[in-house]
Amino acid sequence: MKKAILYLMLALVLTMTGCKGKTAEEAYSLLPDTCHLQNGDLVFRRGTGITSHAILAADHGGRFSHIGIVVDSSGIAMVVHAVPGEPDYEGDPDRVKMEPAAQFFSTFNASLGEVCRPIDSVAAKKAAETAIEYYHRKVLFDHQYDHTDTTRLYCTELVMNCYQKAGIVLTGPPAHSFSLPGLNCTCWLPSDIYHSEYIIPVYSFNQPIQ
């Protein structure tokens, strides 16, 4: 029964917009002013509704349900991420987006956040450049979660591909398999990247990492 409930939750995750915490009018950013982001940083967030709970349940104790990569856009720290259900305008397709880091960590979408920094700053810069290319190409979100098809990308796949092109394999092959009505996939989940030996935590939005 528990497995059936989990599969139902996952089906909702993969096919519907996740629940939000606050309304857009009530939202504020979790990102502290003291958190200084760098090119190629990996940013993790936990959502507030059924989407987050389903991903966390599938991720076997993982703390985060979504991931993006920091890029420098004319001196402003932005986050590139592949996400469904967050259109910028009516009719906007699910795609790779670029938005201010403060917006990425808005309480409308996030309840917890953390920044991890790659130990290789050169690779980090190259990965950020690739992320911006994906954004400008308007790459669509991969609702089939197929890591073999790079014409569309899901969140962890985007980050993996950016770093692979920079010569860094953040983690091993995708190992989380799901078989649901209309969907069979094996994918990466956020904890796979969070535990990579190539990154270190530098800031948690509850308190700094010492």
Side-chain angles (χ1 to χ4, degrees):
M1 177 62 72
K2 289 183 178 179
K3 182 176 289 188
I5 293 173
L6 174 59
Y7 279 3
L8 176 59
M9 293 173 70
L10 286 169
L12 291 171
V13 169
L14 300 177
T15 59
M16 299 176 62
T17 300
C19 298
K20 308 298 182 183
K22 297 178 179 295
T23 66
E25 293 74 19
E26 296 173 325
Y28 59 91
S29 181
L30 294 174
L31 186 68
D33 293 336
T34 54
C35 183
H36 302 292
L37 300 174
Q38 295 184 12
N39 233 4
D41 281 352
L42 300 184
V43 286
F44 296 82
R45 76 184 186 196
R46 180 193 296 177
T48 56
I50 190 172
T51 298
S52 175
H53 291 302
I55 293 176
L56 293 173
D59 212 357
H60 303 295
R63 297 179 63 219
F64 303 103
S65 55
H66 190 51
I67 183 174
I69 181 170
V70 175
V71 302
D72 185 330
S73 178
S74 300
I76 299 174
M78 306 285 281
V79 175
V80 172
H81 61 125
V83 62
E86 294 184 22
D88 288 336
Y89 52 85
E90 186 175 354
D92 187 16
D94 294 337
R95 59 182 171 82
V96 173
K97 297 182 59 177
M98 183 168 70
E99 62 189 8
Q103 182 175 336
F104 178 84
F105 286 115
S106 166
T107 53
F108 185 59
N109 296 313
S111 62
L112 181 69
E114 189 163 317
V115 178
C116 291
R117 185 153 295 155
I119 58 178
D120 187 332
S121 61
V122 175
K125 182 178 179 180
K126 291 180 180 178
E129 291 172 351
T130 299
I132 292 178
E133 290 177 10
Y134 283 133
Y135 165 71
H136 286 302
R137 284 165 46 191
K138 300 180 179 180
V139 174
L140 296 177
F141 186 84
D142 183 5
H143 287 281
Q144 294 302 310
Y145 295 79
D146 181 1
H147 69 280
T148 66
D149 176 11
T150 58
T151 62
R152 296 171 183 253
L153 300 169
Y154 59 93
C155 70
T156 47
E157 182 186 15
L158 167 67
V159 171
M160 285 293 298
N161 284 9
C162 288
Y163 270 90
Q164 284 176 347
K165 288 180 180 296
I168 299 293
V169 179
L170 291 171
T171 190
H176 303 275
S177 296
F178 304 103
S179 180
L180 303 167
L183 176 68
N184 287 280
C185 68
T186 301
C187 62
W188 291 287
L189 292 177
S191 69
D192 297 326
I193 296 177
Y194 182 79
H195 294 296
S196 171
E197 63 181 333
Y198 295 102
I199 63 176
I200 56 174
V202 293
Y203 206 93
S204 165
F205 296 160
N206 290 328
Q207 59 183 353
I209 300 295
Q210 300 297 326

